[in-house]
Amino acid sequence: MRFVISAAALALALIPTLVHAQDKLLFPVGEDSRFHWDSFRKFADSHDFSGQTLTVSGTWTAEDEDTFRNAFAYFEKATGARVDYAGSGSFEQQIVIDTEGGSPPDIAIFPQPGLAAELAAKGHLTPLPEGTAAFLKENYAAGDSWVTLGTYKGPDGKDHLYGFPYKTDVKSLVFYVPENFQDMGYEVPKTMEDLKALTQRIVEDGGTPWCMGLGAGGATGWPATDWVEDLLLRMQAPDVYDKWTTNAIRFDDPRIVEAIKEFGWFAKTDAFINGGSSAVAATDYRDSPAGLFSFPPKCYMLKQASFITSFFPEGVAMGVDADFFYFPTYADKPDLGTPVLGAGTTFTITRDSPLARAFIDFLKTPIAHEVWMAQRGFLSPLKAVNPDVYGDPVSRKMGEILTGASTFRFDGSDMMPGAIGAGAFWTGMVDFVGGETAESVARQIQATWDGIKDK
């Protein structure tokens, strides 16, 4: 999907007012034993940049900006430096202007890796300090995946690690109402085979298993791309997914077509979908959760990303009135592990300096993650963090899914050229649900990609 909605609505607790680093920290150092204060003190003892200013640019505004400021306040406190953060909804356009004009910030935070890769190839990004890749491999869950995500070709044509991952969203989730499951005697499925069997059982019991909506205005179709991406990660090895997102494996490859067909097993059977499969494209994804909460329920399950709770009815308490489970893997494909599809942000150095490198070092500390974890809207793949710090049990459960991942992959459509990931892929999935074959839509999408290559 091309746009990312904050997962902030997952929080169940109110957040303290934004504070300024040099005056007062959100969580006083040493007072809450859940935090890794030793990591803060060790970083502070080895980094002194008093009087210097670090400029940072990204997309976070409003609540996300407040919680980020509360996190980097600890960098300011530890180093004596000041962080000048500028958040903007037009970040993607502005960072291109700034880097090409020779006036970039010290640190740029990218919501999708594609643009970062483009700027790296032009020489506008600085490779991260030596040892960063080894750190990610050792300390992040599915560490190899994160190194792959942040590695791009530089102006020399060689691969370098440019991006440091920080703040993640999880998409491999299925939401449901526990009371509805209890009333019918349904159990949370542990495998994809169990999920498909449950889908059929709900129909046999006279219910409708799936809430689903692909509508999103000009972006209609994107929820279906998440389905296909998640299924592909469960049906093929990660390198197949990686090659597919770059078109090294064509869209009309039989392995990709098979994943589209598997999505069709769920989406193209009228009895499986609230309103029938013909209603999927016309149903706005923001309205799709409503069927979970009707009485009797119009549908029992909804596959969506963590942010969908923002569109649950007012008063719904996550963990009580609604819950979620991991979108399961196939029992007959145990070698593929437990992949997780998601999104997140990538920190890059756009103007090299000892201070900029120190900020990347700060992001390696547990405290840099835990301060935001204790607020809201933040999931961390850093294995050293204390999960008890999460501000609510829902975020903690999602964090456990993330740290339990054997493979993490970024939303595939966000990594493809815009004409594909935010165009032909979206419309192709709508056509597929509307009646076209998987083979046909795959050929059409590939034809669009071939046209891009020919230009």
Side-chain angles (χ1 to χ4, degrees):
M1 128 183 120
R2 275 289 145 184
F3 51 91
V4 176
I5 302 177
S6 170
L10 294 171
L12 303 180
L14 294 176
I15 305 303
T17 303
L18 173 66
V19 294
H20 294 288
Q22 306 292 3
D23 302 324
K24 183 180 178 182
L25 297 174
L26 188 61
F27 305 102
V29 175
E31 290 191 9
D32 190 328
S33 62
R34 297 175 303 162
F35 293 85
H36 282 84
W37 296 119
D38 55 330
S39 71
F40 171 81
R41 296 188 182 98
K42 183 178 180 180
F43 179 81
D45 289 344
S46 58
H47 295 82
D48 184 1
F49 293 92
S50 299
Q52 299 187 37
T53 297
L54 180 80
T55 56
V56 180
S57 178
T59 61
W60 292 324
T61 59
E63 293 180 352
D64 277 343
E65 178 175 346
D66 289 350
T67 48
F68 177 47
R69 286 182 181 277
N70 284 332
F72 71 61
Y74 289 80
F75 175 81
E76 293 181 313
K77 185 68 173 180
T79 63
R82 173 184 173 83
V83 175
D84 184 3
Y85 171 73
S88 171
S90 58
F91 163 81
E92 288 90 343
Q93 294 77 31
Q94 190 61 48
I95 193 63
V96 172
I97 295 172
D98 291 345
T99 53
E100 294 186 349
S103 57
D106 300 308
I107 299 287
I109 311 169
F110 291 86
Q112 289 108 13
L115 179 56
E118 291 178 13
L119 295 184
K122 295 179 180 179
H124 295 318
L125 304 186
T126 298
L128 296 183
E130 186 176 352
T132 305
F135 172 87
L136 292 174
K137 289 180 179 180
E138 181 178 352
N139 294 282
Y140 268 40
D144 287 341
S145 299
W146 296 105
V147 172
T148 299
L149 180 65
T151 299
Y152 322 122
K153 290 190 181 300
D156 58 0
K158 298 180 180 179
D159 289 337
H160 303 278
L161 179 64
Y162 288 98
F164 192 93
Y166 177 81
K167 190 179 187 297
T168 305
D169 296 310
V170 172
K171 294 192 170 190
S172 302
L173 305 174
V174 179
F175 292 86
Y176 70 106
V177 174
E179 184 177 355
N180 293 343
F181 269 43
Q182 293 167 7
D183 289 346
M184 298 301 295
Y186 300 148
E187 296 183 358
V188 170
K190 302 299 184 184
T191 68
M192 186 62 70
E193 290 86 350
D194 291 341
L195 181 61
K196 296 177 80 170
L198 176 59
T199 296
Q200 294 172 315
R201 179 182 170 186
I202 292 173
V203 173
E204 293 168 0
D205 290 341
T208 302
W210 290 97
C211 311
M212 189 178 296
L214 306 187
T220 291
W222 72 255
T225 68
D226 285 0
W227 269 90
V228 173
E229 291 158 4
D230 247 330
L231 287 166
L232 182 61
L233 286 172
R234 285 152 179 76
M235 298 170 72
Q236 303 294 337
D239 69 308
V240 172
Y241 184 92
D242 297 337
K243 292 176 182 177
W244 169 61
T245 61
T246 64
N247 208 221
I249 289 179
R250 293 169 58 88
F251 232 101
D252 53 2
D253 183 281
R255 291 165 291 185
I256 311 305
V257 171
E258 182 185 14
I260 296 173
K261 287 182 176 179
E262 189 74 339
F263 166 58
W265 187 91
F266 292 94
K268 297 185 74 169
T269 302
D270 279 343
F272 289 175
I273 306 297
N274 182 27
S277 58
S278 61
V280 170
T283 301
D284 194 288
Y285 79 94
R286 289 157 287 206
D287 298 329
S288 60
L292 293 174
F293 306 102
S294 62
F295 184 80
K298 294 181 179 179
C299 41
Y300 283 81
M301 295 178 286
L302 170 69
K303 184 194 178 304
Q304 256 295 356
S306 55
F307 63 72
I308 197 61
T309 57
S310 300
F311 305 104
F312 283 6
E314 184 177 355
V316 169
M318 282 300 301
V320 180
D321 304 315
D323 207 341
F324 60 89
F325 57 86
Y326 170 69
F327 189 54
T329 56
Y330 294 86
D332 65 355
K333 298 181 183 295
D335 56 316
L336 296 182
T338 53
V340 168
L341 179 72
T345 52
T346 302
F347 280 61
T348 66
I349 297 175
T350 39
R351 183 165 54 191
D352 195 15
S353 70
L355 183 58
R357 290 170 177 257
F359 193 79
I360 298 298
D361 285 340
F362 174 69
L363 299 182
K364 299 176 183 178
T365 67
I367 201 66
H369 297 246
E370 289 172 340
V371 170
W372 199 335
M373 288 165 57
Q375 298 177 74
R376 57 185 171 194
F378 186 95
L379 302 178
S380 175
L382 183 64
K383 293 184 289 186
V385 299
N386 180 7
D388 291 339
V389 171
Y390 275 115
D392 63 88
V394 175
S395 293
R396 175 173 178 169
K397 184 177 177 181
M398 290 183 180
E400 290 172 347
I401 289 175
L402 180 60
T403 54
S406 60
T407 301
F408 180 89
R409 285 298 183 268
F410 205 91
D411 182 307
S413 61
D414 279 351
M415 300 177 72
M416 298 173 183
I420 306 299
F425 195 3
W426 288 350
T427 58
M429 291 303 95
V430 173
D431 292 341
F432 173 62
V433 174
E436 289 199 31
T437 66
E439 291 85 356
S440 175
V441 298
R443 285 194 298 269
Q444 292 172 29
I445 297 169
Q446 184 57 49
T448 302
W449 211 320
D450 290 338
I452 295 174
K453 294 176 182 178
D454 292 340
K455 291 183 178 178

